[in-house]
Amino acid sequence: MTKRRDWTLTEKEKKVYENLKKQAERLLHFKKHHQSKRGTARYRAGIYEFCKHLAIHYKSQNFRNISDKHLESFVIESVKAGISSAAIKTDLAAIRKLHSLVSNSRNMLTSDNSKFNLKKRRTRGVDRAWTSEEIARAKQLAKEMDRVHIFWAITITEFLGTRIEEVTALRRTQLKKAINTESLRLVNTKGGIPRDIPLNNGARSIFQTILATPSTTDTIFFGWHGWTHDQAMKSIQNWIANHRTSFMENVLTNDNPYQQSFDIDEMRPRITFHGLRHTFARREYEKRIKQGLSFQTARLQTAALLGHGRDEVTTIYLGKKEDQS
């Protein structure tokens, strides 16, 4: 069960909160922020909680007055509320981003996360990828439930490593062009940086299936059934959360050669849609190693397909603890 900050505001505090919230929305505007709309929404969510904290404990009226002491007390109260260290760190990143956008700030934010004694998030040595069997069972269940869009989304990301906001933003015209050019051009990406992913047989096949399905709109995952883009993403995430026990394997297989080579030693967390990107990364990396490429070259090429510029990022997707030379 997700922990929440159950912070109740008085009527006076609600007015302070609403004022701060409006300031935040003007500064952290969806169209101006460097992140994707989804990333900006997550930042806003964290800042809204910070606004509540300021309203309750400091009666603050303007973000120009915030300082390290406000961040520290926010962290303390969040920990008391049971919020995870990872979530708090994202909130702090959002607050620092907002502070950088405030003109005439009265204080510098100098405290880094180490001062707050937050636990480090374990990103390596953890197996987040879906197995081939899990993917097959999930797609079969989606077909049986007549959730063809779930089937399409899982299949596309399995073969192309797309983020959920990237796959749900796809249009039929993009798929047609991809088949003609043998490469999918993604524009609705994290950070707004377009990237091209070479088509493979699996992606080409699902694109042809989608294009052969009658439709009155160019959009694939939203619009025609009344959903917004955000609702389309949420629908997929909810389906996985509600049905993962039907297709997820419960036990980590410690004798798996891949898991041994990457020192994966932790029990698997609950799989999410993002785990399909881990599966894609693993397959692309292993394919390049079998082709005789060096570890670093394989990581760099895989990172480019994922939309990252550093090979170190690939090690997180691979579940690897230590870099190989």
Side-chain angles (χ1 to χ4, degrees), residues 256-259 261-262 279-292 298 302 318:
N256 182 294
Y258 181 89
Q259 291 165 338
S261 65
F262 285 98
T279 302
F280 171 79
R282 180 174 301 183
R283 290 175 177 174
E284 292 298 320
Y285 174 82
E286 290 179 324
K287 180 173 69 176
R288 284 159 174 76
I289 293 299
K290 289 178 181 177
Q291 291 172 349
T302 303
L318 297 175

Side-chain angles (χ1 to χ4, degrees), residues 118-152:
L118 295 171
K119 295 179 180 178
K120 290 185 178 180
R121 182 185 178 189
R122 182 73 179 273
T123 56
R124 301 182 186 183
V126 181
D127 191 7
R128 302 181 188 280
W130 294 39
T131 66
S132 297
E133 292 76 15
E134 287 170 334
I135 293 173
R137 286 197 294 267
K139 291 198 292 188
Q140 181 60 34
L141 180 61
K143 289 173 68 174
E144 291 173 358
M145 296 177 65
D146 199 26
R147 298 296 298 274
V148 66
H149 292 80
I150 304 292
F151 178 90
W152 289 349

Side-chain angles (χ1 to χ4, degrees), residues 24 49 56 70 106 130 139 153 158 178 268 273:
E49 297 302 317
I56 294 171
H70 299 109
R106 295 178 180 177
W130 294 39
K139 291 198 292 188
E158 172 193 3
R268 299 176 68 218
F273 187 85

Side-chain angles (χ1 to χ4, degrees), residues 59-106:
K59 309 298 186 289
S60 302
Q61 297 287 342
N62 199 301
F63 284 113
R64 286 184 298 177
N65 301 320
I66 66 173
S67 64
D68 286 335
K69 73 173 184 180
H70 299 109
L71 268 64
E72 186 171 4
S73 62
F74 175 69
V75 170
I76 291 172
E77 294 301 317
S78 296
V79 171
K80 287 180 182 178
I83 307 302
S84 70
S85 294
I88 295 173
K89 287 178 181 179
T90 302
D91 294 340
L92 290 172
I95 295 167
R96 293 186 179 109
K97 174 63 180 180
L98 182 74
H99 183 263
S100 71
L101 299 173
V102 175
S103 59
N104 302 319
S105 297
R106 295 178 180 177

